[in-house]
Amino acid sequence: MGETKDFTLFRRTKELENELDDFLNKISEGGLAFRFGVQIYMNHGPTEEFEEKLYHVNSLENTADTLRRSIETKLYSQTLIPESRGDVLGLLETLDSVLNLMEGALWGFSIETPDVPEEFRRDFVELTDRVVLSVDELVKGARAFFRNIEAVADHNHKVMFYEKEADKLSTKLKRAIFGSKLPLPNKVHLRSFVESVDNIADQAEDVADRLAIYTIKRTV
Amino acid sequence: MDIAVIIFLTSGLFLGWALGANHLGNVFGTAVGTRMIRFSTAAAICSVFVVLGAVFGGGGTSETIGKLGAVNTLAGAFMVALAAAAAVWIMTRAGLPVSTTHAIVGAIVGWNVFSETWTDIDSLVKIMTGWVLGPVLSALFAIALFFSTVRVLRVLKLHLLYLDAYTRLGLILAGAFGAYSLGANNIANVVGVFLPASPFVEFRLFDLFTVSSAQQLFLLGGIAIAVGVYTYSEKVVHTVGRGLYTLSPVSAWVVVMAHSLVLFLFASEGLERLLAHLGLPTIPLVPISSSEVIVGAVLGVALVKGRHNIRWRTLGRIGVGWAMTPAIASAVCFIGLFILQNVFNQNVYDTPRHQVTPAAAERLVREGLPPALIARLADQTFESSAQLETAVASSRLSRGDVARIIENSQLDFIRVEPLRLSPKEFRWMSAGQMYAVYRIAGQTFPHRWMFAEALARESKDWRPGANAVLDKPRNRVLHDRVEVLARLFRDY
């Protein structure tokens, strides 16, 4: 009786494992698309190619949402990983919020089409790179949480590092913007974009902090 | 079937119910406590495997029966089982995992006191040894198993979901195995006493296999245990699973495995026989019970993972429960026997008299007891074993020697009259055994051991095996059968 139940359980386990991997893939893919989107905007402005990237991130976000809901339902309806499912849920939801922030930032560029002067463009791209690196490490950390718990700390450490670097650059960029001769409304407008990009790294750091606690809880 | 047997059977079934209610916690407590397995699933698996263990694994005899055998009237045995069940039930109400064997031994002590029978202190010492040895051994095993599991998991790097699935499977398998052993080892406590009086008739099922009357009786007992599991076990499950210490799923598995391993290595005759069979040295069997072992295993893991989170109050309550179980059982038994005897006019004990007959004297001297003492005792009649013990108290004999004098001098007056044999005895006796009984027909024996020796002289089928370990089951069966015949032939 117990046995047959468990063989079907393994099949479901495989399905769920695939869904989890898929979800994490969407987040890291979102990071890559986000980086290309910002690069394109900085180099060519709100072109069709940029809009394409925006829709790419948008559809990734939708798929990630669907996957997350499906995983959550399975975890609870099949009473799987009873001790860690609350944590896994928290992790998925906060990871999803990172993707939401990236999507939101791109929508901002698309709707408000800020005019970014030439001298700030390189730093904007550089900031985006650092932010996406932190998101990348976060996704690796999340993967390690499921497969190789001891590696989580390494990835978390890198998330923190890239977040600090992003903070430094965003401060530098904001100083440069407010030090420039642009009219105040433009300065304020640009600042909001610096913050919307930098926020993504901050959120990644918050998720990494949670992950650290979940990891301690998960040690046998 | 005698109405008295039916009434007595109810007390055995009550004991089975109490046992099931108390022992689900031992096999599935940690699994349910960590929410890895639902209570209803655990109860279902446990019930099925308890019944399977009882019917197919129950040897039908156990030492506990041997002890119960000393309780020599039906009313007395009824009270012993009832008192033991009451003690286990009270502890289950309090949510404490306790040992059924200890409750039975406690109840027998109550009967001994009431019937002025000498109590073998060894069985009491055994109980107390179990209280210490069980937890210590299993805590050590749990710690070792915990560290090796952590190491293995570190190498395997299992996905969280697979770790979860494997742990669940491990818990289910370990629990099912535990439930099977539970049924196999305890069924004798529950209905074993009725074996000679089993009302069931052997039949064949679908023409495939034969279901013996013993197996039908065991099935009944197994069902009683299963009902206990379903109806009353949640409190103890909670105490073992979460009350003492909050375990993680993997450590829950470590606990159950350590529990099964310790019981298998130190309390299983199967392994002892296997080792002896292979010519290897055997591990000494220690008197530990499942409940003592499971508590020790939880403590072992807790000590390694973080002492601060152990709920010492719960542990204290469990300890008090262990001490109180035999005490309650013996008190309930004593009071119950008094009521049975004086209110219901039941004969709750036959006190066998003791006399060192010439044959007994010769045997005792041969076994190394001081001839002067034996000569002094010779031909005196003692009304009870307690009286005999008082008579030899001044001689500073060892407990074993006192037990030997008491055992060998018990008067039974057996007259072998084969006409008293019923179809039931004809069914289990071999041709050789039957031959021996007819050969000594008409003879009388003052002691049971003389009867056994006479039978053994006549047929090798009555001769106990020489190997203490390998022949243990056979010798036990022989002993029980001599006992059955001795009762049948007792000359009133």
Side-chain angles (χ1 to χ4, degrees):
Chain A
M1 181 180 78
E3 282 75 355
T4 45
K5 190 176 172 191
D6 272 282
F7 285 120
T8 60
L9 195 92
F10 283 154
R11 182 174 53 78
R12 290 182 193 162
T13 306
K14 184 81 208 155
E15 273 173 27
L16 197 55
E17 187 197 10
N18 290 341
E19 282 188 349
L20 268 173
D21 280 341
D22 236 20
F23 176 83
L24 293 172
N25 289 344
K26 299 294 171 233
I27 309 286
S28 64
E29 198 181 328
L32 295 176
F34 172 71
R35 186 165 64 184
F36 278 121
V38 175
Q39 271 174 7
I40 293 163
Y41 187 90
M42 291 304 151
N43 295 333
H44 311 288
T47 58
E48 208 162 283
E49 206 189 351
F50 167 78
E51 291 295 323
E52 208 176 90
K53 288 295 166 221
L54 167 62
Y55 285 114
H56 186 181
V57 175
N58 187 25
S59 82
L60 285 173
E61 208 277 325
N62 286 338
T63 326
D65 270 347
T66 318
L67 280 170
R68 179 173 57 81
R69 282 190 203 107
S70 154
I71 294 167
E72 287 173 2
T73 315
K74 281 190 183 133
L75 283 184
Y76 275 85
S77 67
Q78 295 168 24
T79 54
L80 299 171
I81 45 169
E83 297 286 304
S84 349
R85 65 184 166 201
D87 296 347
V88 170
L89 229 73
L91 180 64
L92 297 190
E93 272 162 18
T94 44
L95 276 172
D96 199 27
S97 73
V98 174
L99 191 53
N100 285 346
L101 285 180
M102 294 194 281
E103 188 199 6
L106 285 188
W107 274 115
F109 280 108
S110 167
I111 295 166
E112 301 175 25
T113 55
D115 188 12
V116 186
E118 178 70 42
E119 72 248 47
F120 304 134
R121 287 184 189 165
R122 247 195 59 200
D123 279 352
F124 252 109
V125 171
E126 178 63 30
L127 176 65
T128 311
D129 281 352
R130 292 178 189 184
V131 164
V132 171
L133 278 171
S134 76
V135 173
D136 230 33
E137 285 302 328
L138 177 65
V139 173
K140 284 182 193 160
R143 284 191 208 279
F145 174 75
F146 291 107
R147 283 176 204 283
N148 179 15
I149 195 94
E150 277 152 50
V152 173
D154 287 342
H155 296 296
N156 270 357
H157 182 77
K158 287 182 187 157
V159 174
M160 311 294 165
F161 174 79
Y162 289 123
E163 190 271 339
K164 291 276 166 313
E165 291 303 307
D167 270 354
K168 278 185 212 159
L169 190 57
S170 83
T171 312
K172 184 186 148 206
L173 192 54
K174 282 191 264 184
R175 276 189 204 288
I177 289 168
F178 281 92
S180 70
K181 296 214 164 52
L182 286 171
L184 186 62
N186 286 28
K187 288 178 181 171
V188 175
H189 195 207
L190 281 181
R191 184 202 58 195
S192 78
F193 278 89
V194 175
E195 281 174 352
S196 78
V197 174
D198 188 39
N199 272 346
I200 298 167
D202 288 340
Q203 177 67 14
E205 191 195 24
D206 287 350
V207 181
D209 284 339
R210 276 169 174 258
L211 194 56
I213 301 292
Y214 299 156
T215 307
I216 295 170
K217 279 172 72 181
R218 238 205 81 187
T219 32
V220 181
Chain B
M1 184 168 64
D2 197 341
I3 186 83
V5 175
I6 295 178
I7 293 174
F8 183 32
L9 194 57
T10 57
S11 91
L13 295 181
F14 177 37
L15 182 61
W17 176 83
L19 178 107
N22 200 281
H23 286 42
L24 175 68
N26 297 350
V27 288
F28 274 116
T30 59
V32 174
T34 50
R35 288 179 291 164
M36 289 297 272
I37 298 172
R38 280 192 214 98
F39 174 80
S40 54
T41 316
I45 298 172
C46 187
S47 302
V48 169
F49 281 90
V50 154
V51 172
L52 286 179
V55 176
F56 298 107
T61 47
S62 84
E63 297 221 11
T64 330
I65 296 191
K67 286 183 212 133
L68 269 176
V71 179
N72 49 21
T73 70
L74 206 57
F78 166 80
M79 204 54 233
V80 165
L82 191 68
V88 175
W89 173 57
I90 290 169
M91 291 302 146
T92 309
R93 269 185 74 106
L96 302 175
V98 295
S99 158
T100 316
T101 309
H102 293 180
I104 294 175
V105 175
I108 291 173
V109 170
W111 182 87
N112 283 350
V113 174
F114 192 82
S115 62
E116 291 178 41
T117 305
W118 178 77
T119 298
D120 185 3
I121 305 294
D122 279 346
S123 54
L124 295 179
V125 174
K126 267 186 180 177
I127 291 186
M128 286 184 228
T129 324
W131 289 344
V132 182
L133 260 182
V136 170
L137 269 177
S138 60
L140 291 177
F141 264 73
I143 290 170
L145 194 61
F146 178 80
F147 281 123
S148 31
T149 308
V150 169
R151 185 155 295 184
V152 169
L153 287 181
R154 203 168 284 166
V155 175
L156 286 181
K157 297 194 195 312
L158 284 175
H159 192 283
L160 174 62
L161 290 169
Y162 280 94
L163 180 62
D164 179 75
Y166 291 142
T167 310
R168 203 174 295 245
L169 184 64
L171 282 168
I172 288 177
L173 292 179
F177 175 70
Y180 184 89
S181 321
L182 178 72
N185 298 336
N186 282 293
I187 191 67
N189 287 339
V190 178
V191 291
V193 207
F194 309 100
L195 274 182
S198 172
F200 300 109
V201 185
E202 183 176 294
F203 68 91
R204 282 182 68 75
L205 193 66
F206 310 124
D207 232 21
L208 284 173
F209 47 91
T210 315
V211 184
S212 68
S213 77
Q215 283 177 328
Q216 295 170 53
L217 196 61
F218 289 164
L219 176 68
L220 193 65
I223 291 172
I225 300 177
V227 171
V229 162
Y230 257 103
T231 52
Y232 209 66
S233 57
E234 276 197 274
K235 264 192 186 169
V236 180
V237 164
H238 183 83
T239 306
V240 175
R242 296 198 89 85
L244 198 53
Y245 181 79
T246 311
L247 293 159
S248 72
V250 174
S251 49
W253 177 82
V254 166
V255 165
V256 185
M257 281 312 287
H259 155 261
S260 299
L261 264 179
V262 168
L263 287 182
F264 179 67
L265 289 178
F266 296 97
S268 110
E269 287 183 3
L271 179 72
E272 192 189 37
R273 250 199 320 278
L274 181 73
L275 288 175
H277 196 75
L278 298 172
L280 297 168
T282 52
I283 304 170
L285 293 184
V286 288
I288 45 177
S289 84
S290 175
S291 306
E292 294 156 1
V293 170
I294 198 82
V295 169
V298 174
L299 274 184
V301 169
L303 285 174
V304 183
K305 284 191 63 183
R307 274 189 294 273
H308 315 293
N309 296 327
I310 300 177
R311 292 179 201 91
W312 296 104
R313 258 179 81 93
T314 312
L315 186 65
R317 283 181 55 224
I318 293 175
V320 171
W322 285 354
M324 277 171 66
T325 307
I328 290 177
S330 61
V332 169
C333 188
F334 187 89
I335 296 166
L337 288 169
F338 183 83
I339 295 171
L340 269 185
Q341 186 182 49
N342 298 310
V343 180
F344 294 97
N345 234 341
Q346 292 290 314
N347 179 23
V348 291
Y349 64 88
D350 286 334
T351 319
R353 287 180 304 157
H354 290 261
Q355 191 181 50
V356 181
T357 56
E362 191 201 320
R363 191 177 201 219
L364 286 168
V365 171
R366 207 177 338 123
E367 287 184 4
L369 279 134
L373 171 74
I374 302 300
R376 182 164 65 79
L377 294 172
D379 288 331
Q380 291 184 55
T381 308
F382 301 92
E383 290 306 317
S384 69
S385 50
Q387 240 185 46
L388 173 57
E389 195 219 349
T390 324
V392 298
S394 58
S395 321
R396 287 207 202 95
L397 292 171
S398 72
R399 279 204 305 273
D401 285 344
V402 174
R404 214 169 295 155
I405 295 178
I406 289 173
E407 204 183 300
N408 285 313
S409 65
Q410 185 179 322
L411 288 177
D412 270 307
F413 298 115
I414 294 156
R415 175 177 299 157
V416 183
E417 289 173 18
L419 279 177
R420 288 196 191 176
L421 293 174
S422 70
K424 210 173 286 167
E425 282 81 38
F426 281 106
R427 215 177 297 142
W428 59 252
M429 265 198 276
S430 71
Q433 287 175 329
M434 194 82 73
Y435 170 78
V437 172
Y438 278 93
R439 284 275 297 180
I440 59 170
Q443 296 187 31
T444 52
F445 303 95
H447 302 297
R448 199 170 291 190
W449 59 267
M450 289 177 75
F451 172 57
E453 280 186 357
L455 285 173
R457 263 197 305 276
E458 296 299 336
S459 161
K460 67 170 172 31
D461 285 6
W462 281 114
R463 244 163 265 160
N467 191 312
V469 177
L470 283 178
D471 296 324
K472 200 191 268 180
R474 177 185 136 83
N475 291 351
R476 204 183 285 155
V477 170
L478 276 184
H479 175 267
D480 284 355
R481 291 188 168 170
V482 170
E483 201 83 342
V484 169
L485 288 188
R487 278 188 197 187
L488 201 67
F489 293 144
R490 197 143 57 172
D491 196 13
Y492 294 100

